[in-house]
Structures are given as structure tokens and as C-alpha cells.
Amino acid sequence: MRRCVAPLSPLISSSSSSSSFLRQAPWRFNIWESFTTVIGNRVYDLPVPEDNTPFITFVLGGPGSGKGTQCEKIVETFGFRHLSAGDLLRREIASKSKDGSMILNIIKDGKIVPSEVTVKLIQREMESSDNHKFLIDGFPRSEENRIAFERIIGAEPNIVVFFDCPVEEMVKRVLNRNQGRVDDNIDTIRKRLKVFEALSLPVINYYSQKGKLYTINAVGTEDEIFEQVRPIFATLKVSK
Ligand code: C5P
Ligand code: MG
């Protein structure tokens, strides 16, 4: 599958940073191709604990890959609790908490908020939830995020779902979604894509090597994409 070596968006390649994107393309191709070999021959037979032990799903993908949209469908169909790291951080900004302005500046710059801050927000939600089947969306974005979660929460994900989407498609979706986000502009999108490539892909690769990764082809209609997602959760025998 070679979608990820398709020519990069002129929007990206017209920037002064395009050369580093292009230089990294062969590396990105190798990583992505190794993910795609994971699909297909998986046996979806993971047990879901019946007691209060959490069942944790990390949902990963670049900006505009459709994580949030698909999480809503998983919630409707399979009754998970959806925790979006980005939404929790934006809520923190809106509540004018002590970390709010620091978080805002980092989000505007497309960078990653210190892991401890994000993990504590996730922890608060997990601890106060009656539903113990979690979809944690947009997290971990870096190895540091991943390690902080393991340290603070003391758990690892049961499964990791990765929405694999070409850069051009992600840029198009983010620029068209009109949600009034401070980071949905082309300059910040470029930065977010670079951060995704440098910091998030290694995390995805880590879970691929651990055999926990389910890769979804994130191109198509919402319903078409959900038909790839459905079997992962359907065979978990999770009741609503
Ligand atoms: O996932 P979402 O696109 O909503 O994230 C928006 C921004 O929130 C990211 O670009 C990043 O600045 C911040 N974020 C973070 N750490 C996470 C998730 C999001 O710093 N784990
Ligand atoms: Mg989102």
C-alpha cells in the first residue's frame, strides 16, 4: 500500500519546511508499510473484563484523520466512554485554569503539552467514570506521553487503533472543518504534521511491534471507514 508516498500537498511543499518533509519521505514510507502488514490476519478475540478493570483503547492518527468522528460511532454502537485529549485540553483553556494559557500557547504552536498535565486530565475522567471501557483519542502523541501514562495510570492499552490517512487528505479535511479552532490554519497544521511524524509515528510503531495495533485505511466515507472499525469492537463482545 503506497498511499503515503503520494506527492505531498502543494500547501505543505510550498513552505520553507518542505525539504525536511521530502527528505524524510522514504523513512515514513518504510514505517507506514510495516503497519499495513499488520492488518488482515489478526484474530479479534480479546476478552473484555467484567469487573471494573479498565479496557483501554488508544485511538491514534494525524490531524484530520477522523479519530473523533469514528470515536463517536464507536460510542454509539459499542458503548465506550470517549476521552479526547485535545478536547480535555481545550476545556482546560476554556475554564481559565492555572495551566490554561500555557496550554493555549502550546496548541497554537502545534506542539505537545507536558505529559503530566494531559495524563492528569485523563486520569480525572477515568477515575470518575462508571463506564470502564475507554476510547482515549489523540493520546499518546509521543513516547513521553506514553511513558507518563504507564507511570501515572499504571496501565497499558489493551488495543490501539490507528487511522492511516494521506497527508493531503488530512490537510484538506482540517482546512474545511470550520470548528473555529486556533490550530486549524495552514501554518499550525504544518507544525502538527511534523510533530506527528517525528513524535507520534514512533509510538504507533511501538504498538505495532507489541502486536496491539489495528490499522484502518482512513480514506472514504464515515460509514465506509466505520465498517473497518466495527469488527475490531464487535468481536470484543462488549455490551452497551
Ligand atoms: O487531538 P487534537 O487534534 O484535538 O489535539 C489538538 C492539540 O492538542 C494538538 O495539536 C496538541 O497541541 C495538543 N495535544 C497535546 N497532547 C495530546 C493531545 C493533544 O499536546 N496528547
Ligand atoms: Mg479530535
Side-chain angles (χ1 to χ4, degrees):
M1 186 180 296
R2 292 177 178 256
R3 283 178 297 109
C4 297
V5 285
L8 294 166
S9 160
L11 289 167
I12 290 177
S13 51
S14 67
S15 83
S16 58
S17 55
S18 65
S19 56
S20 71
F21 253 99
L22 293 169
R23 272 201 306 276
Q24 288 168 17
W27 173 80
R28 189 167 73 244
F29 169 62
N30 287 337
I31 294 265
W32 239 296
E33 186 152 66
S34 77
F35 295 152
T36 60
T37 62
V38 174
I39 329 170
N41 55 356
R42 298 290 303 271
V43 180
Y44 305 122
D45 60 354
L46 287 166
V48 178
E50 285 178 13
D51 58 13
N52 285 348
T53 314
F55 184 92
I56 300 171
T57 304
F58 284 160
V59 182
L60 303 178
S65 61
K67 306 182 291 293
T69 305
Q70 293 296 320
C71 280
E72 283 171 24
K73 288 177 168 290
I74 298 166
V75 167
E76 274 168 31
T77 313
F78 298 107
F80 273 68
R81 174 79 197 277
H82 177 204
L83 302 178
S84 155
D87 286 351
L88 292 175
L89 292 167
R90 284 184 284 272
R91 200 168 78 187
E92 214 42 26
I93 296 170
S95 75
K96 308 220 180 317
S97 76
K98 70 171 171 47
D99 290 328
S101 62
M102 175 270 290
I103 295 171
L104 176 61
N105 288 331
I106 292 176
I107 287 184
K108 273 187 186 159
D109 205 21
K111 300 222 168 90
I112 308 274
V113 172
S115 298
E116 187 129 336
V117 172
T118 313
V119 175
K120 290 266 163 73
L121 294 174
I122 294 172
Q123 182 181 39
R124 200 163 70 193
E125 296 300 313
M126 290 179 78
E127 285 180 354
S128 63
S129 177
D130 291 335
N131 183 345
H132 296 97
K133 300 185 299 264
F134 295 104
L135 290 174
I136 304 184
D137 152 14
F139 185 95
R141 283 281 226 284
S142 64
E143 282 290 283
E144 198 206 288
N145 265 187
R146 176 181 72 72
I147 290 162
F149 185 92
E150 288 174 14
R151 177 172 55 80
I152 296 171
I153 309 289
E156 289 190 25
N158 298 74
I159 59 173
V160 179
V161 181
F162 167 47
F163 288 92
D164 180 9
C165 193
V167 167
E168 281 191 8
E169 178 68 19
M170 293 193 282
V171 172
K172 195 171 79 188
R173 289 182 190 170
V174 173
L175 289 178
N176 286 334
R177 67 185 172 188
N178 289 325
Q179 292 174 344
R181 282 176 46 169
V182 289
D183 54 348
D184 282 354
N185 58 78
I186 189 60
D187 287 340
T188 312
I189 295 168
R190 281 195 191 108
K191 292 178 186 170
R192 289 159 69 193
L193 286 167
K194 283 188 170 181
V195 166
F196 177 71
E197 192 169 17
L199 301 183
S200 309
L201 279 181
V203 177
I204 292 164
N205 195 30
Y206 172 86
Y207 288 122
S208 172
Q209 282 164 7
K210 286 202 119 189
K212 292 190 172 188
L213 193 74
Y214 295 78
T215 302
I216 302 294
N217 172 3
V219 181
T221 65
E222 290 176 15
D223 288 341
E224 282 165 357
I225 295 166
F226 188 62
E227 288 315 311
Q228 297 174 66
V229 173
R230 186 194 296 279
I232 301 172
F233 293 90
T235 53
L236 294 174
K237 295 184 176 50
V238 176
S239 58
K240 203 163 181 173

